[in-house]
Amino acid sequence: MELDVVQEIILDHNNVRDLYLRYIRATDLDERRAIVNTILREIAVHGETEISSVYGKLDEQNMKPIADHSREEHREVEEALLKLGTMDVQDQPAHDQQLKQVMRLFQHHGEEEETDILLKLQSQITLETSNQLALNFLNVRQLLAEMPPSSSVQVGPLAQQLLALLQERQSLGFVELRYQHPANSITGRSMKFDMSLLA
């Protein structure tokens, strides 16, 4: 089965969006903790997976300034995630304000990728290259999502801190993701997300 790296990335974006919607609907504190834990894991793993497996291809396609901008956006999201990871859902309203900040940063980055960056990349690579990038993306993602994460993947210092924090938070649990890799035609389209939820 041929895979599309763009669909795999969008699937991750949609999972984070869905998790946030589930969080704002949840009333049980333990469920909310598990959802936040899953948001932390998914954004951290997704960001480092993109950096490790996709942004190098952007560099090769004469899109280095775009890749560098995306790397910087991931760093900003990771800093916000680290702050969120030190808080508990009972720390209101500070916790939910920080979660909204994480989601604003993530949503901005995701929209940029989905409406511009990934379309440019897709237009410059073959289907075979997209398939290979998707396979690399999924492999790195799987290695990073393991607890403890595989040491075979090099990650930045903020990501190292986040992954260590996630190991400490494992007892809070995780929730199942709505969308699963490999991508299918339904989840390969960007999920409509109401930005007013982050106001």
Side-chain angles (χ1 to χ4, degrees):
M1 176 173 92
E2 292 292 313
L3 298 173
D4 179 352
V5 68
V6 172
Q7 287 187 13
E8 300 307 325
I9 291 170
I10 290 173
L11 185 143
D12 274 4
H13 294 173
N14 287 343
N15 269 325
V16 172
R17 292 170 180 135
D18 176 68
L19 286 164
Y20 182 73
L21 295 175
R22 288 160 63 184
Y23 175 83
I24 61 176
R25 289 190 300 255
T27 56
D28 179 76
L29 285 178
D30 288 338
E31 181 184 7
R32 292 184 113 204
R33 285 183 183 104
I35 292 170
V36 168
N37 224 30
T38 309
I39 289 171
L40 288 168
R41 180 191 67 198
E42 290 304 303
I43 293 177
V45 167
H46 172 78
E48 285 304 307
T49 299
E50 279 188 336
I51 290 167
S52 297
S53 64
V54 178
Y55 290 171
K57 184 52 91 175
L58 290 173
D59 292 339
E60 291 173 15
Q61 298 297 321
N62 295 320
M63 297 171 68
K64 184 168 176 27
I66 292 170
D68 288 343
H69 172 75
S70 293
R71 288 179 185 104
E72 176 60 23
E73 286 186 345
H74 277 290
R75 187 193 59 73
E76 291 171 5
V77 173
E78 287 174 346
E79 287 176 350
L81 279 175
L82 277 172
K83 185 173 179 181
L84 178 65
T86 64
M87 305 170 95
D88 185 74
V89 295
Q90 288 182 307
D91 300 334
Q92 293 300 330
H95 177 274
D96 283 3
Q97 289 171 348
Q98 186 63 26
L99 178 57
K100 284 181 182 180
Q101 176 62 14
V102 166
M103 289 303 300
R104 278 187 209 100
L105 292 168
F106 182 82
Q107 182 64 13
H108 166 78
H109 176 73
E111 284 181 354
E112 250 184 13
E113 284 186 340
E114 293 168 15
T115 61
D116 184 34
I117 297 167
L118 295 174
L119 298 177
K120 287 178 182 172
L121 176 64
Q122 198 170 40
S123 72
Q124 295 182 24
I125 60 175
T126 65
L127 293 175
E128 182 180 327
T129 300
S130 181
N131 183 61
Q132 187 58 51
L133 283 173
L135 290 170
N136 290 343
F137 180 87
L138 294 174
N139 184 46
V140 171
R141 189 183 192 300
Q142 181 177 354
L143 291 171
L144 288 175
E146 295 171 357
M147 286 294 156
S150 172
S151 60
S152 66
V153 180
Q154 296 287 332
V155 297
L158 285 173
Q160 286 175 357
Q161 291 176 46
L162 275 169
L163 294 171
L165 180 66
L166 280 166
Q167 279 189 267
E168 293 170 16
R169 294 174 57 101
Q170 263 189 297
S171 65
L172 300 176
F174 298 96
V175 296
E176 289 293 317
L177 299 175
R178 180 172 308 259
Y179 308 113
Q180 300 295 318
H181 292 283
N184 61 47
S185 60
I186 295 172
T187 58
R189 290 178 298 213
S190 180
M191 176 180 162
K192 186 173 170 94
F193 187 79
D194 182 1
M195 288 295 289
S196 69
L197 296 171
L198 303 176

